[in-house]
């Protein structure tokens, strides 16, 4: 979402087009230059603002994605460890029962399998915890970037306000000049008469 | 102003809505209309068209603000729904912890009764606490019967001072009573559903399923995760073991006593928990208790089969405990992930809302700016007409 720059520059364009056709003195040229400057400055601000908005949207989207990744990784880590422990528990039960029925080999295999499952679970948990930590770090980084972008947008707002003020003054100056010119013309006309 | 002298007509920008218009008003005393006027000079035309364009632009701007507001309201509704979902989830978790309606209703009463029970019924305390301390005395004074008897008397005297025991008994009584009340509620619901379905010939009602879930939660909270229950269970097992060991006086009796001394040492120093972790410790303790009991029982019977049975019992207990711990880990992981996802949903909606809010602010600022331009344009047009009028008056006066 952004503001189209054509919305704000129309009035300024009229004056810019009109300045050569209507005016020729230095005072008017200075006013026209001020308007030019204000117009360019505001257009530049709008471009920067548009870019900043796009950047802000991007980093906020990335922030959200990083948070979701972290949630997925937390779930995956818990699943890995939980599944492994469940498997290990059942292997332990199996080993106990087989021991009771005098099958030491099977019991050994089951005990070993239980330990292996626990090891695999810890491995999976460690890997997923690492990914979750990375995702959390990324989320924090994107959050900071979005705050930076917001601060830059505030700065741009301030710049735009200054340019708008300059533009207002230039128009006022132009109006005063035209008023003086008109008064002078009228005085001259009366005097000639 | 010198009116239209040496002025080349310019081609002003015309917005799409400002279509070709037919000029009508020719009076210089009237402000230029938005439709334009053929008799006006270039500047007048420009001002007229500016006014028209500004009006149209203001209208478009207002439409955009309205659209953005609608979008913002949608997002607010979405945020409210997300917050409601989060609240529901929190309430659900709280409700799950609270258990069934019967226990919720009489829970506090049960707790109080359990405290009184633990405080005043010394017989229960004797049964629970006596065996462990007796075991220690027995182990210390195996060769000296008199010292053993003296030590036992001292242990009996210590019973009434043990606040830990009171807590354990209170927890045991409270947990089992609450679970039994939930079990009763489940029985009632089950009987009602069975009676209803016997008439209708339908599957079990939802009420029974709900009660089943509540019963399982109650079992987890009041039995599986109740340290008081396990403490008392272990002590009871120890009591049996000590009794058997004292009666038999054989080798297995000594093993049983050694195991119970181990448990008592753990009660005082907590080394099992530090060795195997908080979650697994109750299961390990229970396993040792079972082993001790099995040894004691076996002291009077077949040695090999009793040992095997004890080993199996310990293994099965530990295995079930490990599996249950794994299940709890999965549940906890799911809960954390869901919580984080809910927070992320809320954060995402807030980002969208902030974006739309910024858009609305920019549009309102733009609207104000355009309004200001409109005012300036109209003022300029009025001044222009005034100037033209003054000039013409001066010319007439001169003429």
């Amino acid at each position: 979402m952004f503001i189209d720059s054509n919305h704000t520059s129309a009035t300024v364009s009229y004056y810019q087009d009109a300045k050569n056709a209507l005016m020729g003195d230095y005072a008017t040229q200075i006013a026209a230059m001020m308007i030019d400057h204000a117009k360019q400055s505001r257009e530049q601000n709008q471009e920067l603002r548009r870019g900043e908005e796009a950047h802000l949207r991007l980093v906020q989207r990335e922030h959200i994605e990083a948070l979701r990744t972290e949630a997925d990784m937390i779930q995956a880590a818990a699943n890995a460890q939980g599944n492994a422990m469940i498997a290990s528990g059942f292997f332990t039960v199996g080993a106990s029962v087989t021991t009771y029925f005098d099958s030491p080999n099977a019991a050994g295999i089951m005990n070993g399998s239980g330990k292996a499952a626990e090891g695999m679970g810890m491995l999976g948990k460690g890997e997923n915890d690492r990914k979750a930590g990375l995702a959390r770090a990324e989320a924090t980084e994107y959050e900071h970037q979005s705050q930076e972008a917001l601060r830059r947008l505030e700065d741009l707002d301030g710049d735009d306000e200054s340019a708008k003020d300059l533009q207002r003054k230039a128009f006022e100056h132009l109006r005063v000049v035209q008023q003086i010119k008109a008064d002078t013309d009228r005085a001259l006309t009366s005097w000639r008469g | 102003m010198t009116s239209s002298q040496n002025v080349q007509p310019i081609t002003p920008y015309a917005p799409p809505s400002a279509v070709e218009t037919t000029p009508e008003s020719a009076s210089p005393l009237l402000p230029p209309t938005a439709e334009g006027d053929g008799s006006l000079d270039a500047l007048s035309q420009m001002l007229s068209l500016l006014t028209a364009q500004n009006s149209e632009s203001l209208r478009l701007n207002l439409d955009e603000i309205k659209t953005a507001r609608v979008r913002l309201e949608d997002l607010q509704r979405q945020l409210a729904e997300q917050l409601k979902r989060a609240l529901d989830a929190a309430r659900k978790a709280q409700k799950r912890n609270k258990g069934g309606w019967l226990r919720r209703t009489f829970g506090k009463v049960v707790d109080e009764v359990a405290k009184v029970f633990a405080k005043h019924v010394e017989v229960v305390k004797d049964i629970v606490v006596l065996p462990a301390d007796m075991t220690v005395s027995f182990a210390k004074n195996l060769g000296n019967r008199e010292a053993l008897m003296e030590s036992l008397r001292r242990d009996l005297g210590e019973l009434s001072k043990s606040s830990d025991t009171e807590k354990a008994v209170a927890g045991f009584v409270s947990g089992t009573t609450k679970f039994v009340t939930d079990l009763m509620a489940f029985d009632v619901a089950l009987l009602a559903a069975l009676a209803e379905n016997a008439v209708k010939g339908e599957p079990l009602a939802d009420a029974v399923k709900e009660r089943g879930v509540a019963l399982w939660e109650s079992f987890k909270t009041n039995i599986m995760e109740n340290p008081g229950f396990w403490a008392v269970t272990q002590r009871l097992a120890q009591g049996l073991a000590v009794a058997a060991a004292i009666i038999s006086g054989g080798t297995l009796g000594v093993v049983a006593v050694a195991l119970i001394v181990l448990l008592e040492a753990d009660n005082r120093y907590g080394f099992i928990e530090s060795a195997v972790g908080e979650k697994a410790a109750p299961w390990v303790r229970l396993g040792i208790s079972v082993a001790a009991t099995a040894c004691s029982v076996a002291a009077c019977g077949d040695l090999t089969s009793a040992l095997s049975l004890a080993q199996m019992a310990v293994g099965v207990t530990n295995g079930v405990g490990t599996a249950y711990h794994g299940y709890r880990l999965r549940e906890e992981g799911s809960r954390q992930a869901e919580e984080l996802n809910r927070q992320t949903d809320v954060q995402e909606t807030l980002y969208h809302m902030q974006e739309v809010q910024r858009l609305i602010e920019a549009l309102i600022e733009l609207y104000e700016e355009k309004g200001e331009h409109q005012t300036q344009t109209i003022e300029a047009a009025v001044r222009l007409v005034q100037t033209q009028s003054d000039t013409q008056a001066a010319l007439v006066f001169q003429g």
Side-chain angles (χ1 to χ4, degrees):
Chain A
M1 260 177 254
F2 57 88
I3 311 296
D4 188 358
S5 64
N6 289 334
H7 280 291
T8 54
S9 60
T11 311
V12 182
S13 297
Y14 280 121
Y15 281 94
Q16 194 182 11
D17 292 341
K19 70 175 182 184
N20 293 327
L22 294 173
M23 314 302 170
D25 60 286
Y26 289 120
T28 309
Q29 281 176 3
I30 288 169
M33 279 192 286
M34 283 167 70
I35 292 168
D36 275 350
H37 170 69
K39 174 179 182 289
Q40 284 171 9
S41 181
R42 293 195 70 190
E43 280 177 356
Q44 190 184 5
N45 273 346
Q46 277 180 348
E47 282 301 320
L48 286 171
R49 190 182 171 86
R50 198 176 302 159
E52 210 57 63
E53 276 280 354
H55 175 64
L56 181 62
R57 280 198 303 278
L58 179 72
V59 293
Q60 284 180 342
R61 198 163 52 237
E62 295 289 342
H63 179 214
I64 296 296
E65 278 180 17
L67 285 174
R68 292 203 191 286
T69 307
E70 186 191 347
D72 289 346
M73 290 301 115
I74 287 173
Q75 171 92 70
N79 283 349
Q81 196 186 10
N83 289 339
M85 289 197 76
I86 290 169
S88 171
F90 285 126
F91 277 125
T92 307
V93 171
S96 304
V97 173
T98 48
T99 304
Y100 182 71
F101 289 107
D102 206 14
S103 303
N105 289 339
I109 290 169
M110 287 200 174
N111 269 327
S113 302
K115 294 288 177 196
E118 268 188 42
M120 293 294 285
M122 290 304 287
L123 199 65
K125 180 184 183 301
E127 176 62 16
N128 287 314
D129 276 346
R130 188 184 71 85
K131 286 180 183 169
L134 283 176
R136 195 178 309 126
E138 271 184 14
T140 308
E141 188 180 348
Y142 285 127
E143 192 179 8
H144 289 170
Q145 284 183 10
S146 78
Q147 286 164 359
E148 281 173 27
L150 280 172
R151 284 198 294 274
R152 280 198 292 271
L153 275 176
E154 283 175 12
D155 290 345
L156 284 173
D157 281 346
D159 290 349
D160 192 57
E161 200 58 44
S162 302
K164 205 191 296 179
D165 192 44
L166 181 65
Q167 190 175 307
R168 200 177 290 123
K169 282 177 182 167
F171 278 126
E172 182 60 22
H173 178 72
L174 192 60
R175 192 191 68 75
V176 171
V177 168
Q178 297 310 311
Q179 187 66 44
I180 292 170
K181 279 168 73 87
D183 289 345
T184 308
D185 285 347
R186 194 164 56 245
L188 281 171
T189 307
S190 303
W191 180 73
R192 279 174 190 154
Chain B
M1 189 182 279
T2 53
S3 174
S4 59
Q5 292 175 9
N6 300 324
V7 172
Q8 295 298 319
I10 58 171
T11 309
Y13 166 77
S17 58
V19 290
E20 294 297 330
T21 54
T22 309
E24 289 175 359
S25 171
S27 170
L29 297 175
L30 292 172
T33 60
E35 288 77 22
D37 191 333
S39 64
L40 294 178
D41 56 39
L43 192 56
S44 304
Q45 281 184 20
M46 186 183 76
L47 290 171
S48 300
L49 290 170
L50 263 178
T51 310
Q53 192 255 347
N54 275 343
S55 300
E56 181 62 18
S57 181
L58 281 169
R59 194 185 62 74
L60 286 173
N61 204 202
L62 267 180
D63 288 345
E64 284 172 346
I65 290 172
K66 281 177 191 166
T67 309
R69 269 193 59 190
V70 170
R71 171 77 179 134
L72 189 62
E73 281 166 10
D74 287 345
L75 286 169
Q76 281 170 342
R77 266 194 293 277
Q78 192 178 327
L79 181 67
E81 281 169 15
Q82 283 167 349
L83 290 174
K84 187 174 175 298
R85 273 202 294 274
L87 208 61
D88 286 345
R91 278 185 188 144
K92 198 175 168 186
Q94 202 176 8
K95 192 179 171 185
R96 196 180 300 153
N97 289 335
K98 281 180 179 173
W101 66 271
L102 196 58
R103 188 160 61 77
R104 283 201 302 278
T105 310
F106 299 106
K108 285 189 185 300
V109 179
V110 168
D111 285 339
E112 291 304 318
V113 169
K115 281 179 193 168
V116 172
F117 188 78
K119 187 79 185 169
H120 298 290
V121 183
E122 296 295 334
V123 176
V124 175
K125 285 171 65 181
D126 292 351
I127 291 170
V128 170
V129 179
L130 178 63
D133 291 333
M134 277 174 62
T135 307
V136 177
S137 300
F138 182 74
K140 282 179 184 170
N141 306 291
L142 271 175
N144 188 346
R145 258 182 198 284
E146 285 185 9
L148 174 64
M149 293 309 292
E150 178 59 31
S151 181
L152 290 177
R153 270 199 294 275
R154 191 176 61 249
D155 292 338
L156 285 169
E158 290 289 321
L159 283 177
S160 57
K161 298 177 185 172
S162 173
S163 61
D164 287 344
T165 307
E166 276 180 25
K167 283 181 191 168
V169 173
F172 175 82
V173 174
S174 171
T176 47
T177 310
K178 287 173 182 174
F179 176 67
V180 168
T181 56
D182 285 339
L183 190 62
M184 282 164 58
F186 177 75
D187 284 345
V188 171
L190 184 65
L191 285 172
L194 286 173
E196 188 182 345
N197 293 329
V199 175
K200 294 182 181 174
E202 291 174 354
L204 283 177
D206 289 340
V208 176
K209 289 176 190 166
E210 284 177 18
R211 289 278 169 226
V213 172
L215 187 66
W216 167 241
E217 294 297 335
S218 174
F219 178 70
K220 278 200 300 185
T221 309
N222 295 313
I223 304 296
M224 300 289 275
E225 293 162 11
N226 180 6
F229 177 85
W230 291 110
V232 172
T233 308
Q234 282 173 18
R235 295 296 178 119
L236 288 172
Q238 288 166 17
L240 289 173
V242 170
I246 291 173
I247 291 166
S248 72
T251 313
L252 273 180
V254 176
V255 173
V257 169
L259 286 172
I260 294 163
V261 169
L262 190 70
L263 279 176
E264 187 57 28
D266 174 59
N267 284 337
R268 294 181 184 184
Y269 307 111
F271 69 89
I272 290 181
E273 189 168 309
S274 59
V276 299
E278 187 185 349
K279 296 277 184 185
W283 299 94
V284 173
R285 288 192 198 109
L286 182 67
I288 294 173
S289 298
V290 172
T293 310
C295 285
S296 308
V297 171
C300 303
D302 180 31
L303 178 69
T304 312
S305 64
L307 269 176
S308 299
L309 192 66
Q311 279 178 346
M312 188 183 78
V314 171
V316 169
T317 309
N318 283 334
V320 171
T322 307
Y324 179 69
H325 183 41
Y327 162 74
R328 289 302 310 272
L329 274 176
R330 277 180 59 107
E331 265 198 339
E332 180 61 19
S334 296
R335 192 194 61 74
Q336 283 181 2
E338 278 174 18
E339 180 67 29
L340 189 55
N341 270 326
R342 274 195 295 273
Q343 286 175 7
T344 308
D345 287 343
V346 170
Q347 183 67 63
E348 190 175 17
T349 309
L350 282 175
Y351 278 154
H352 286 318
M353 285 177 71
Q354 287 166 0
E355 192 180 334
V356 176
Q357 188 66 39
R358 284 198 301 277
L359 176 70
I360 289 177
E361 281 171 13
L363 285 170
I364 288 173
E365 198 178 335
L366 190 59
Y367 185 77
E368 287 171 357
E369 196 179 335
K370 283 177 180 176
E372 195 182 334
H373 284 173
Q374 180 79 320
T375 309
Q376 284 173 355
T377 308
I378 291 170
E379 280 176 4
V382 170
R383 274 193 226 106
L384 176 66
V385 170
Q386 185 66 42
T387 306
Q388 285 174 342
S389 171
D390 289 348
T391 307
Q392 283 175 2
L395 285 171
V396 169
F397 179 73
Q398 185 189 16

